[in-house]
Amino acid sequence: MKYQRPKGTADILPAESAKWQYVEAKARELFKKYRYHEMRTPIFESFEVFSRTSGETSDIVTKEMYDFYDKGERHITLRPEGPELQKPVKTYYMGPMFRYERPQSGRLREFHQIGVEAFGVDSPALDVEVIAMAIDLLESFGLDSLKLALNTLGDNESRQAYRQALIDYLEPFADQLSDDSKERLHKNPLRVLDSKDKKDQEIVADAPSILDYLTPAATEHFETLKKLLDDLGIKYEVDPNMVRGLDYYNHTIFEIMSDSKAFGGKWTTVCAGGRYNGLVEQLGGPETPGIGFGLGVERLLLVLDATENGLQLEDPLDVYVVGIGQSVNAETLKLVQSLRHQGFSADRDYLDRKPKGQFKTASRLNAKYTLTLGETELAEQKANLKSMETGEEISVSLADIYANFAGLLA
Ligand code: ATP
Ligand code: MG
C-alpha cells in the first residue's frame, strides 16, 4: 500500500523553492535595515508554554495544537506559532508552525510564518515601527492592494469593562449562539466577536464597541498610534470588532489584508499582529511589553502567484559543459568543478546523451555559454566555447579555462 501524505502538509519541490528563498531573502534584507535579528527556537516545546500563553479558550489550544507525550511522559507540543520567550529586544524568526485545522487553500496543518517580536518598550512609536515594517515587507514584493485594519483591545481595565458589556449584550442571545460561542460567552466573550459562524456574526454586528470602554491611558495609546501612522502617511481602517485569536494581546492589534484573486477577491489576512504586554508575565517572567506580527508565507505566495505575471525568478546558469562520448567523462567533470571553483555556475550531462540533446538542455536552462569537448578536442587539449546569446564560437585551450575562464570572456 502506498502511504498517503498527512493531510495539510505539502512538499516544497525544487521548482518552487526559489520562491521561498526569494521571500526569505527579501525579509532578511528588510529586517536588517530595521535592526531586527533572527532567533531560532525549537520546533517542539512543553505543552504549557503555549497552553498558558495562547489562552485556554483559544482555538489554538482547544483544537489545533499537535501534542503528545514523549518517552519520558512529558507533555510536548509542536509549536503552533513563534514562542516569545527570548530576551533580545528586536528579533525575527521564520519557520514551520503546526495547527490541526481543516486544510483548504491558504490553510495547512504545517505552514510557515515569518514573524517579528520587539520587547521592552511601551511606546506606540514601536507599534508603528512594527506595522511599517510589515507593510514595507509586503510592498517589497510588489503588492499594492493592501488594507491595514487596526483596533485596540485597551489595557486590563478597559478590557474588563468591555468584557462585562459584551456579556450583558450577548446573554439575551445565548440560545441562538453556536456551541463554541455559548461556551465562550462567559469564559472569554471577546472571542465570540471572532466567530466564523454566520448567525454569530449577525448577532455580533450590533455588539458594543471596545472603543467606548477604553481608559484614558488606553485611549491615549491608540490616539498616538493613529497620529504617528498619519505622520508616516500609512493608511488604516479602524475595525472595532477585530480581535486576535490569542488571549494575551492588549492595546494595538492589526491585520494586513489582501483582496487578491488568489482569495477570490475576498479580503483575507496575510499578516497579523499586535501588542502583548502580559505575555512574558504569564510565562512567569517579569512584566515585559512586546509587539510583533506573523506573516503566513503560503498565503503570501498565493498572492504573488496570482499577480499578473506571477512571480518570475531568474535561475542563472553561466556554463553548460557538453561532453561527447565516455572518453571525455573525467575531463568534463574536472571542467565543471574548476568553473564552480572560479565562481561560475556550471552544469553538465550525466546521462551520456547525444550533443543535440545536451544543447537542448543548455538552452532550456538558459545557459549563457556552452563549452563543448569531444575526443578530438581532448586530444588537442582544447574545447569549443560558444556564447548562447550571440551564437559566436571560439576554440579555447583547456589550460586557459583552468587558469582563468573569466579572461576568455573579456
Ligand atoms: P485565522 O483567523 O485565519 O485562523 P489566525 O488568527 O489563526 O488566523 P495568526 O495566529 O494571527 O492567524 O497567524 C498569522 C498568520 O499566519 C495568518 O494571518 C496567516 O497568514 C497565517 N496562518 C495562520 N494559520 C495558518 C494555517 N493553518 N495555514 C496557513 N497559514 C496560516
Ligand atoms: Mg487560526
Side-chain angles (χ1 to χ4, degrees), residues 59-60 64 80-81 97-102 104-113 194 196 243-246 249 254-256 268-273 293-300:
D59 276 343
I60 292 191
E64 297 173 2
E81 55 172 338
M97 307 294 161
F98 306 85
R99 297 185 192 175
Y100 190 73
E101 302 196 65
R102 201 164 63 78
Q104 48 194 291
S105 172
R107 194 177 292 288
L108 291 100
R109 291 185 175 174
E110 180 185 0
F111 66 103
H112 297 76
Q113 278 186 345
D194 202 24
K196 307 255 182 334
V243 291
R244 301 282 325 119
L246 305 164
Y249 285 95
F254 65 94
E255 296 189 3
I256 304 175
T268 303
T269 304
V270 178
C271 174
F293 67 74
L295 167 82
V297 181
E298 283 82 358
R299 284 195 202 169
L300 171 63

Side-chain angles (χ1 to χ4, degrees), residues 185-215:
L185 171 54
H186 289 100
K187 277 195 196 152
N188 192 344
L190 265 73
R191 190 78 73 206
V192 179
L193 297 178
D194 202 24
S195 170
K196 307 255 182 334
D197 181 272
K198 260 241 149 66
K199 180 73 193 164
D200 286 356
Q201 285 175 349
E202 276 171 35
I203 294 171
V204 152
D206 293 320
S209 158
I210 178 79
L211 301 178
D212 295 325
Y213 294 85
L214 297 179
T215 59

Side-chain angles (χ1 to χ4, degrees), residues 10-73:
D11 293 321
I12 300 164
L13 296 168
E16 286 287 303
S17 60
K19 293 178 184 173
W20 285 74
Q21 290 171 352
Y22 164 78
V23 164
E24 290 163 5
K26 279 266 197 206
R28 287 181 198 283
E29 194 186 316
L30 183 86
F31 294 154
K32 214 172 181 168
K33 287 188 202 152
Y34 279 83
R35 301 277 308 151
Y36 283 63
H37 297 104
E38 186 176 14
M39 65 172 169
R40 301 188 184 194
T41 61
I43 281 174
F44 65 89
E45 290 272 5
S46 291
F47 182 80
E48 289 72 31
V49 168
F50 294 99
S51 67
R52 280 173 56 191
T53 59
S54 301
E56 281 168 37
T57 55
S58 70
D59 276 343
I60 292 191
V61 173
T62 56
K63 300 177 186 158
E64 297 173 2
M65 287 221 280
Y66 276 86
D67 67 314
F68 58 96
Y69 287 85
D70 72 6
K71 293 184 206 299
E73 298 300 314

Side-chain angles (χ1 to χ4, degrees), residues 382-396:
K382 288 202 158 117
N384 199 45
L385 172 63
K386 178 176 176 184
S387 159
M388 296 294 273
E389 201 191 324
T390 64
E392 207 180 313
E393 287 183 56
I394 49 170
S395 173
V396 294

